[in-house]
Amino acid sequence: MIPHTALLATIVPGLFGVIIYIVQKYVGKFIGWISTAVASLSLVLILSMIKPVVDSYNNGQNSLVFVYPWISPIDINFGFLIDMVSFPVGFIIALVSTLSCLYSVKYMENEPNQASYYANLLIFMTGMIGVVFSLNLIQFYLFWELMLIPSYLLIAQWGTSRRRLSIGFKYFIFTHMGALFMLLGILSIFSYTATFDLTELPSRSSSISPSMAPVISILLLLGFFVKMAVFPFHTWLPDAHSEAPTPISAMLSGVMIKCGAYGIGRILLTIFSQRMVQTSDYLLTLGIITMIYGGLMALAQTDIKRLLAYSSISQMGYIVFGFSTVSTLGVMGSLLHIINHAVCKALLFMCAGSIIHQTGTRSIRKMSGLITKMPVTSFASLIGIFSLAGAPPLNAFWSEWMIFGGGLAAEKPAFTFLGVASTMITAGYLLWFAWRVFFGPLPKRLKDVEESPPLLLVPIITLASISVILGLWPGLMLGFIAPAAEFLSSFKGS
Amino acid sequence: MVPEALSGEVIDLRLSPPPVEIGVLIDPLSVLMAIVVSVIGLFVTIFSSGYMHDDPSLTRFWFIMQLFISGYVLLVLADNFLLMFIGWEIVGLCCTYLTSFEYKKRKKAHLGLKVNNILRVGDVGLLIFILALYAYSNPHTFNFVELSKDDNLIIQLSRSGLLLVISLMFLGGVVGKAAQFPLHEWLPDMLVGTPSSSNALTECLAGPYLMARALPIFREAYVSGFNELSHFFLAVAWVGAITGFVAALTATAQRHPQRVMAYSISSVIGYMLTALGLAGLNSSMTSGYLAGTIILTIDAFVSALLILSTVFVSYAVRSEDLYNMRGFRSRLVHRGMEIAVFAMINVPPFSGFWLSNWVQTLALELTNRTYEYGQEILVRSGYGLFTLLILTGGVSAFYGLRLMGLIFSKGSLRKNVREVPKSMRISFSGLLLVTAILDISVPLLIPVFNGFFLPVVREMIFPSVFEVLIYIIPSISTVMTIIALLIGGYISHQLYISHKIDPEEVMKKFPFLTKIHAFLLNRCYIDALYYKVAYHAIGLSRSLYKGVEMEGIKMFRIRGINEFFDISVRWLSSLSRWIYPSIELGCFEKFNQRVVESVTKISGRMREVQTGVLSYNMLMMLFGTIMLALLLFMFGGGYAGAHL
């Protein structure tokens, strides 16, 4: 194994992003390709950790820890925690970011200020990978904010509508407020346990005063829920995700909001698992409301990207539902859904981007019968749509039944039935979307539409085939996620 | 994996044991068949290079041909049923490809579909047989050599009652591929559809080959007391004999030379299957097994020669109708056709005479059984098979001489005979030479064969040519064969060679002959029957779709459910259309807007405080200091940093 793999995997994109920005004159038009290469280097570095991670799990160590001295006077280390929980999430972040970067090469070729775009994209990627691989909470917060700033810039500068500045501002304010609540929670934890270290915190959680524990967990949940855009805190998401340039939408919707879900799994389930069990009913309700509300909102949309954005909100409801059951199966489903939704939603956003790129419109009302003109894009979209709707041979089917199976395992049949019922809305808006966009007669205006250029299709086809492969062979991911779910749900008994 | 390799770790990735061990089986049968296939393949390839030289899609043709030959060799050399089945399917697929080679012609594309469908019927049976065998046997012993030693397998199959069923399934597979009655109708279509030169590589021989391959396994089981297999062997023999007769009869009326070829091939393969079936039933397997395999070998060459000679003629006269070929002159083709046809119609001393007599002798051997309980059917079958084979010989003589008569007799051939390429001549004469040698020397070859197959048959019943002669000649069969040959040949000679009688006039005189002729010309209506079956199957599925799927289901629909769904969907979408503007935009977005507006308003107000007037600032500072002091006073120190 390469020394400092985790450090390199995290730092390389950001560092090269800065370097690319500095030497942009010399790089010229190859900047997109170089950025893709850098991003894929990070992906390869993460992949090279498969064997060590699996080995360390088999040896019973549970995690692979890289520690570097940082603020030594108060004994805070800079470190990376790679285990069965963080590895798959980190991998999918790197994968989606790399493909988005590749997608940008063609999609953003006519945009101004390319160097700045790619620098921001790479720093954004560093932020996300850093959040997932962080060993301690303060570092978690640092990367959390590092992820916010470049994404704000990306929305505000390369956004697609005139409102992009105010939308970016809204996104920034919302997420930042959430992050501040989270920081309060983190500091409160520190004040009781005197450590930020995620590997030590679960054993010290008993020192948190029982009266403060609900407050702290609510503070943390606020931070995560804002990031995940769970029901009352969701208003930033449809704007931000639909106005961002498409590759960035794929990253935002595909992986960034999953950092919140990862936080729930990593922090709340390990430190506050008792609270989670107690508040399970409320969180399940919140999850179901988010599912139904997001789905209903998606039904009402006529903008292709806005529909997908609301669909993301609805899907976050599924993940909240799974985590809230605090059962092994439910947690497994949620962790798997993090991966599967990332694949499918990035795929759908890229397909939407491809459609917008070729037809020049975003309105669903103006589209029809595109499957004859754009067969590859349409077919890939249908894979994504059927997967999210939970059609069996595709990947999201596995995570969805696990999530609801988890609800039954936690003995919450009423909530589970509501949740399963709400999947009808999911299927409804997705299939209606497919029907309106890809089938039906081809309007005259779209007679001359052609299939997207191959550079846009490569990431789309990659993601579609990953969706099929993970659907046919879920064991590929469950090999990591099943032990992770067992680990995360083992704390509630203590 | 580079980092692991650099750091010196060894990653050992292996496949777990495969479900089937595959391999190559080299035994007398497979070597013999592989030689036959590759030698004929060579001749056909050279022949085709001339025949096809001006075809626009040559690349495709050569691709299919080579795939065909390699699939055939794989079929022959495979050491277990599954691997063999792969080769089997490749060969079947190539048949379809070749039939639809000129796929732009609607009729040929259709013929390809038909060939594929009929072949599929047999293949399904074979696949069921293979899977059942696989289910009951150990993966490590799932090959031809071990299977015949595996008594346990047969015992289990017999106990579960499957033995007879799956052995008949196996027969179905063989019947499908070998173009036997009632699945023989694909062969005429295929031979008509393909570029004719490739026909000589007769894929149907894979059928009797498989039967010969599996015969020891069944025979072993039959001998060790599983009597139900006698039905299987009887079925094999009867299928062969019936096909021989029906196909020969059908061949008498056909006008397309390739169709005559197809029926003659089916007919000869019938002899092989009869021989192999009798091998299973008789007291010793040796004689029948040898007869089956030697007919298989010799006939591969004879049929190839016959087909190539008709293709030669059709190429030269640019026609595919026997009646347009009258008066064709070529000594080479004449000699080739003589050798092939005389072999086929049992003229002594050509191969057919020896071999068909041999099979008839085998059938008579069956009648030597004593009339015990259960043996009766065997004795009767012996007589029945014998009679049928003799009749087949007569009919074969008729259509064989008719074929030669139509081509070579005096006639008004159109003048424009095409020049035949050299490569066709060379390969034709090569094949002619090989076939002639084999054809004449059959009695001498039989002892060689017996020695060659010693590992399989385990006894030497023909140490020299004398035993062969003693075995075959002194029998009623020889007499009957020659009588049948004379009768069939005489009629044919009168009708088609010496033209003493005009066939048309005979038909007019005896109206029932016209009916029989029409019956045979229409291929005994078996083909039409298949079309009828397919037509009704499609009709049935259509009416099922219409009656059950579209109309019937509706009857069971509970009234109101549909409306309920409609209403709830409409309700849901109107709900979402209402919530989106009123709650999402009206509440959440408006709230956000209000927050923004009010913050802007407040900060606008607060801006007025920033006056820059020193005294105001001093006043505010004083106020702040007092507040801070008050706070400190009220809450005191001691808490901050307590836990740091």
Side-chain angles (χ1 to χ4, degrees):
Chain A
M1 184 179 144
I2 307 166
H4 314 297
T5 325
L7 179 70
L8 287 175
T10 313
I11 296 298
V12 156
L15 200 63
F16 273 86
V18 175
I19 292 174
I20 283 171
Y21 187 71
I22 293 169
V23 299
Q24 53 175 302
K25 255 187 209 163
Y26 306 101
V27 179
K29 58 182 176 180
F30 295 109
I31 190 150
W33 289 107
I34 292 175
S35 308
T36 310
V38 169
S40 52
L41 175 63
S42 170
L43 176 64
V44 169
L45 282 169
I46 290 177
L47 276 179
S48 75
M49 286 190 287
I50 288 183
K51 200 171 151 42
V53 169
V54 174
D55 282 352
S56 75
Y57 175 77
N58 290 340
N59 297 339
Q61 289 170 338
N62 269 339
S63 54
L64 201 65
V65 179
F66 299 78
V67 185
Y68 306 96
W70 187 26
I71 316 177
S72 35
I74 50 171
D75 198 24
I76 295 174
N77 291 322
F78 192 77
F80 296 95
L81 170 68
I82 321 277
D83 64 357
M84 291 297 193
V85 187
S86 61
F87 177 78
V89 185
F91 162 70
I92 202 71
I93 288 173
L95 179 74
V96 171
S97 307
T98 308
L99 291 176
S100 298
C101 202
L102 178 62
Y103 191 82
S104 306
V105 173
K106 182 75 192 170
Y107 194 83
M108 303 296 285
E109 64 182 350
N110 298 324
E111 297 290 325
N113 216 348
Q114 300 253 324
S116 167
Y117 172 82
Y118 285 109
N120 276 319
L121 192 152
L122 290 174
I123 296 169
F124 184 28
M125 181 177 170
T126 288
M128 290 192 289
I129 298 177
V131 166
V132 172
F133 285 168
S134 289
L135 178 61
N136 62 51
L137 287 175
I138 202 74
Q139 192 188 340
F140 185 88
Y141 175 75
L142 269 179
F143 279 114
W144 189 274
E145 292 289 19
L146 181 62
M147 157 172 99
L148 169 62
I149 295 160
S151 55
Y152 161 68
L153 289 173
L154 285 166
I155 293 171
Q157 190 170 356
W158 289 274
T160 46
S161 81
R162 275 180 297 158
R163 286 173 56 225
R164 58 176 188 263
L165 270 176
S166 63
I167 284 169
F169 185 69
K170 186 179 175 185
Y171 163 63
F172 190 92
I173 286 293
F174 260 93
T175 319
H176 190 58
M177 291 289 282
L180 287 180
F181 283 122
M182 193 181 84
L183 181 64
L184 270 180
I186 289 172
L187 293 178
S188 315
I189 292 176
F190 183 69
S191 71
Y192 285 108
T193 60
T195 181
F196 285 123
D197 195 325
L198 276 170
T199 52
E200 290 176 23
L201 272 171
S203 56
R204 296 202 198 176
S205 62
S206 53
S207 58
I208 299 172
S209 97
S211 58
M212 273 302 276
V215 180
I216 296 173
S217 44
I218 285 173
L219 287 173
L220 288 173
L221 270 180
L222 272 176
F224 298 142
F225 279 177
V226 169
K227 190 57 116 183
M228 285 172 79
V230 170
F231 169 59
F233 317 108
H234 64 278
T235 52
W236 64 272
L237 188 141
D239 282 337
H241 287 203
S242 60
E243 297 309 327
T246 303
I248 304 304
S249 299
M251 282 169 83
L252 289 171
S253 221
V255 286
M256 189 199 73
I257 53 177
K258 307 297 164 30
C259 292
Y262 174 77
I264 293 181
R266 170 59 82 194
I267 300 172
L268 286 167
L269 282 183
T270 56
I271 306 174
F272 297 104
S273 51
Q274 288 299 325
R275 305 284 149 212
M276 289 289 282
V277 175
Q278 284 164 14
T279 54
S280 178
D281 286 358
Y282 305 105
L283 293 177
L284 285 174
T285 314
L286 204 59
I288 290 170
I289 291 177
T290 310
M291 277 183 220
I292 295 176
Y293 189 79
L296 280 179
M297 289 302 95
L299 262 179
Q301 299 309 316
T302 55
D303 181 317
I304 188 166
K305 280 177 79 178
R306 222 175 158 80
L307 186 148
L308 294 178
Y310 275 112
S311 148
S312 287
I313 296 176
S314 169
Q315 296 290 321
M316 287 305 107
Y318 285 80
I319 294 180
V320 171
F321 188 99
F323 279 135
S324 315
T325 62
V326 208
S327 61
T328 311
L329 195 59
V331 173
M332 198 193 297
S334 281
L335 287 175
L336 192 59
H337 206 59
I338 290 179
I339 311 289
N340 290 342
H341 179 249
V343 171
C344 297
K345 199 40 75 66
L347 169 64
L348 283 176
F349 263 112
M350 285 181 185
C351 290
S354 150
I355 291 168
I356 295 166
H357 189 263
Q358 295 307 114
T359 61
T361 178
R362 297 172 46 151
S363 168
I364 294 176
R365 285 193 180 139
K366 292 181 187 165
M367 295 171 192
S368 182
L370 279 178
I371 198 161
T372 52
K373 291 289 174 185
M374 306 176 70
V376 180
T377 308
S378 308
F379 193 68
S381 310
L382 287 177
I383 288 179
I385 283 166
F386 281 116
S387 176
L388 276 189
L394 298 165
N395 58 355
F397 161 72
W398 299 98
S399 41
E400 284 176 20
W401 78 255
M402 282 175 189
I403 287 172
F404 295 122
L408 292 177
E411 294 174 0
K412 315 259 189 232
F415 288 105
T416 309
F417 286 143
L418 270 175
V420 173
S422 75
T423 59
M424 289 214 306
I425 301 180
T426 308
Y429 70 77
L430 283 169
L431 293 179
W432 196 34
F433 162 68
W435 173 39
R436 282 181 292 172
V437 175
F438 300 118
F439 302 106
L442 192 73
K444 250 186 201 153
R445 216 176 53 79
L446 300 178
K447 279 281 185 287
D448 303 325
V449 171
E450 286 173 359
E451 182 58 272
S452 300
L455 258 182
L456 292 187
L457 291 181
V458 167
I460 289 176
I461 292 170
T462 314
L463 284 171
S465 37
I466 290 175
S467 170
V468 175
I469 290 168
L470 287 185
L472 294 176
W473 194 8
L476 212 59
M477 272 296 162
L478 281 176
F480 296 97
I481 281 169
E486 257 167 44
F487 169 71
L488 289 183
S489 56
S490 66
F491 293 96
K492 75 176 167 181
S494 61
Chain B
M1 276 180 266
V2 173
E4 280 77 16
L6 286 179
S7 62
E9 285 179 48
V10 177
I11 304 174
D12 193 1
L13 293 173
R14 281 185 213 182
L15 276 180
S16 49
V20 176
E21 291 171 353
I22 60 170
V24 165
L25 177 66
I26 305 291
D27 72 346
L29 185 61
S30 65
V31 170
L32 182 73
M33 197 64 191
I35 291 172
V36 170
V37 169
S38 44
V39 168
I40 296 180
L42 175 69
F43 284 125
V44 170
T45 309
I46 298 171
F47 191 86
S48 301
S49 71
Y51 184 81
M52 299 290 288
H53 65 87
D54 52 356
D55 195 276
S57 40
L58 263 186
T59 325
R60 195 154 52 89
F61 177 76
W62 288 119
F63 167 71
I64 300 172
M65 278 307 279
Q66 301 314 311
L67 184 64
F68 194 155
I69 295 173
S70 58
Y72 214 150
V73 174
L74 174 69
L75 188 166
V76 169
L77 291 181
D79 83 326
N80 66 53
F81 275 112
L82 278 176
L83 188 61
M84 184 228 63
F85 192 71
I86 294 173
W88 183 273
E89 285 299 319
I90 292 177
V91 170
L93 205 61
C94 287
C95 284
T96 311
Y97 286 162
L98 280 174
T99 311
S100 312
F101 184 72
E102 295 166 53
Y103 59 92
K104 283 176 186 160
K105 291 183 186 161
R106 209 178 153 75
K107 185 155 185 283
K108 299 215 166 168
H110 170 77
L111 286 183
L113 176 73
K114 185 172 152 196
V115 166
N116 194 29
N117 282 353
I118 299 183
L119 280 178
R120 204 59 51 231
V121 175
D123 290 353
V124 169
L126 184 61
L127 190 60
I128 292 173
F129 165 76
I130 292 174
L131 293 180
L133 216 56
Y134 182 74
Y136 281 93
S137 77
N138 180 349
H140 296 290
T141 61
F142 191 65
N143 59 47
F144 295 128
V145 179
E146 306 277 343
L147 270 182
S148 56
K149 296 176 191 160
D150 194 352
D151 296 334
N152 201 20
L153 167 72
I154 301 289
I155 292 171
Q156 279 180 350
L157 278 172
S158 177
R159 250 186 225 150
S160 59
L162 275 177
L163 186 56
L164 188 61
V165 178
I166 66 161
S167 55
L168 290 178
M169 291 281 174
F170 170 77
L171 176 62
V174 171
V175 162
K177 180 66 87 185
Q180 296 295 290
F181 181 83
L183 295 179
H184 61 291
E185 280 301 328
W186 66 271
L187 189 62
D189 288 332
M190 181 197 154
L191 261 55
V192 168
T194 49
S196 318
S197 63
S198 57
N199 291 339
L201 197 61
T202 41
E203 63 292 327
C204 329
L205 293 179
Y209 166 76
L210 179 64
M211 184 55 86
R213 166 62 69 209
L215 191 71
I217 301 173
F218 288 114
R219 168 78 186 179
E220 201 77 24
Y222 179 55
V223 170
S224 54
F226 294 97
N227 276 323
E228 62 254 54
L229 281 176
S230 71
H231 298 292
F232 165 69
F233 289 122
L234 265 183
V236 175
W238 272 107
V239 161
I242 293 174
T243 313
F245 185 64
V246 171
L249 264 184
T250 319
T252 55
Q254 301 304 321
R255 285 181 67 149
H256 194 301
Q258 295 304 324
R259 244 179 226 149
V260 179
M261 291 303 100
Y263 286 111
S264 99
I265 291 171
S266 285
S267 169
V268 178
I269 291 177
Y271 275 93
M272 298 175 206
L273 285 190
T274 313
L276 291 171
L278 290 170
L281 287 172
N282 277 334
S283 48
S284 153
M285 182 183 83
T286 315
S287 178
Y289 188 82
L290 282 179
T293 48
I294 203 165
I295 303 178
L296 179 59
T297 316
I298 305 286
D299 178 66
F301 286 97
V302 171
S303 297
L305 184 65
L306 201 53
I307 288 179
L308 286 194
S309 47
T310 53
V311 173
F312 201 107
V313 180
S314 335
Y315 182 88
V317 305
R318 291 197 179 99
S319 171
E320 299 241 306
D321 187 345
L322 276 176
Y323 284 80
N324 291 341
M325 297 177 182
R326 287 177 184 178
F328 180 76
R329 301 236 170 277
S330 161
R331 279 181 60 196
L332 184 64
V333 180
H334 205 147
R335 291 294 91 72
M337 205 165 248
E338 264 169 6
I339 287 179
V341 168
F342 287 168
M344 196 175 72
I345 66 175
N346 310 341
V347 175
F350 291 98
S351 63
F353 173 73
W354 305 104
L355 297 174
S356 55
N357 268 320
W358 192 355
V359 181
Q360 286 153 16
T361 316
L362 282 168
L364 286 180
E365 216 172 274
L366 201 60
T367 60
N368 295 341
R369 298 282 179 109
T370 47
Y371 273 93
E372 284 166 27
Y373 175 73
Q375 302 282 331
E376 205 175 327
I377 185 167
L378 294 186
V379 178
R380 285 189 188 155
S381 294
Y383 285 119
L385 290 171
F386 178 74
T387 321
L388 214 50
L389 289 173
I390 296 288
L391 286 177
T392 311
V395 179
S396 301
F398 180 81
Y399 81 80
L401 288 181
R402 170 178 177 264
L403 180 71
M404 282 189 72
L406 283 178
I407 293 179
F408 296 112
S409 66
K410 281 171 202 159
S412 53
L413 182 63
R414 282 179 293 160
K415 290 283 179 275
N416 51 353
V417 171
R418 196 159 24 158
E419 186 57 34
V420 177
K422 208 169 221 174
S423 58
M424 279 167 76
R425 279 178 189 283
I426 292 173
S427 99
F428 184 79
S429 18
L431 187 61
L432 172 60
L433 201 67
V434 175
T435 314
I437 293 170
L438 286 176
D439 210 1
I440 310 252
S441 58
V442 163
L444 301 171
L445 273 179
I446 293 173
V448 180
F449 254 72
N450 197 349
F452 188 59
F453 273 103
L454 209 53
V456 184
V457 298
R458 294 202 207 94
E459 55 181 327
M460 194 77 190
I461 55 170
F462 300 118
S464 72
V465 68
F466 297 109
E467 278 81 0
V468 178
L469 296 180
I470 292 166
Y471 185 78
I472 292 176
I473 301 281
S475 132
I476 180 96
S477 137
T478 323
V479 183
M480 297 296 283
T481 310
I482 289 176
I483 291 173
L485 167 68
L486 288 178
I487 295 173
Y490 176 75
I491 299 173
S492 190
H493 186 269
Q494 294 292 313
L495 285 172
Y496 296 107
I497 295 177
S498 61
H499 297 290
K500 292 221 171 104
I501 313 167
D502 187 12
E504 304 284 326
E505 272 175 28
V506 177
M507 297 248 272
K508 264 179 206 159
K509 216 179 267 174
F510 303 102
F512 76 97
L513 275 181
T514 323
K515 273 185 193 161
I516 292 178
H517 182 258
F519 178 72
L520 294 179
L521 187 65
N522 288 313
R523 300 148 79 172
C524 307
Y525 295 110
I526 296 171
D527 197 35
L529 178 74
Y530 289 154
Y531 274 107
K532 207 85 181 167
V533 168
Y535 175 80
H536 284 300
I538 292 170
L540 184 69
S541 82
R542 273 198 192 137
S543 54
L544 270 180
Y545 171 71
K546 214 174 156 194
V548 178
E549 183 74 15
M550 300 302 288
E551 303 291 330
I553 302 275
K554 259 187 204 161
M555 295 201 308
F556 293 103
R557 254 187 209 160
I558 302 159
R559 201 166 272 188
I561 290 250
N562 242 7
E563 286 77 3
F564 174 72
F565 272 118
D566 282 354
I567 289 167
S568 51
V569 165
R570 219 172 292 146
W571 183 79
L572 206 63
S573 66
S574 62
L575 180 73
S576 77
R577 280 205 203 103
W578 175 75
I579 289 183
Y580 182 63
S582 62
I583 295 187
E584 178 75 4
L585 298 180
C587 286
F588 287 104
E589 285 296 310
K590 207 164 224 173
F591 174 73
N592 291 340
Q593 284 295 317
R594 282 288 153 78
V595 169
V596 170
E597 279 165 17
S598 48
V599 167
T600 321
K601 216 179 254 174
I602 290 171
S603 64
R605 283 280 174 80
M606 293 295 279
R607 188 186 278 164
E608 291 167 11
V609 178
Q610 311 281 343
T611 54
V613 178
L614 194 63
S615 53
Y616 274 121
N617 289 0
M618 289 302 287
L619 196 65
M620 289 308 282
M621 246 175 103
L622 182 68
F623 181 67
T625 319
I626 290 169
M627 288 300 288
L628 203 64
L630 269 176
L631 278 173
L632 270 177
F633 181 72
M634 280 169 72
F635 295 103
Y639 176 74
H643 294 273
L644 237 168

